[in-house]
Amino acid sequence: MSRSNSQFSDMGSQVEDAFMKYASPIKPYIPTISRFLLVVTFFEDALRIIMQWSEQNNYMKYSRGFPSFTSQIFLGLNVIVMLVCSTLAVQRRYTEYAVGGLATVVVSQALGYGMIF
C-alpha cells in the first residue's frame, strides 16, 4: 500500500513540476484572470440585457407588470452597476463597494424577475 502511495506522490510531484514550469510566465496574471472569471457572468448578463433590450423591457412590462419607465430604469441601473462593479472588482479597486453592488444586483434581479416568490 505504501508503494502505491509513493508512486502517486511521485506522479503528483512530476505533474506539479510540469505545471510550475509552464505556468510561470502567466503566474503574475493569475489573480487578475481569477477575478475576471468570477465576474464574467455579470459582464455577460449586462451584454445580454443590452442586446435584448426590447425583449427584456417587454418582459418586465407585460409579464412582471412594471410601468415602462420603471422597467427601463431597472434594466439600465442593473447594466450600469454590473459593468462598473465588475470592472472595479477585476481592477481590485473599491472592492467592498464592487462586491456590494454585485450582490445588490443579484437580489434586485431575483425580486424584479420574480425568482424569489
Side-chain angles (χ1 to χ4, degrees):
M1 181 136 173
S2 68
R3 185 172 185 204
S4 65
N5 285 342
S6 176
Q7 289 174 339
F8 182 72
S9 178
D10 291 342
M11 188 171 59
S13 294
Q14 290 173 351
V15 169
E16 184 178 359
D17 291 343
F19 178 76
M20 293 308 290
K21 177 182 174 185
Y22 295 111
S24 304
I26 65 166
K27 193 172 185 177
Y29 306 105
I30 289 176
T32 302
I33 293 168
S34 300
R35 285 188 301 277
F36 175 75
L37 291 174
L38 286 171
V39 298
V40 73
T41 302
F42 293 102
F43 283 125
E44 183 274 331
D45 195 31
L47 182 63
R48 182 181 50 78
I49 290 172
I50 292 168
M51 299 301 287
Q52 298 175 345
W53 185 267
S54 61
E55 292 92 345
Q56 293 288 322
N57 191 35
N58 286 336
Y59 175 79
M60 298 303 286
K61 286 191 313 189
Y62 300 118
S63 296
R64 300 295 303 150
F66 278 53
S68 181
F69 180 74
T70 305
S71 68
Q72 291 187 14
I73 294 295
F74 176 80
L75 293 171
L77 284 175
N78 275 296
V79 167
I80 291 167
V81 170
M82 284 189 285
L83 292 175
V84 169
C85 290
S86 294
T87 302
L88 290 174
V90 170
Q91 295 176 345
R92 290 176 51 186
R93 303 177 107 191
Y94 307 105
T95 308
E96 296 83 10
Y97 297 113
V99 171
L102 294 174
T104 301
V105 165
V106 169
V107 172
S108 72
Q109 284 190 349
L111 292 170
Y113 285 98
M115 293 184 280
I116 288 184
F117 302 111

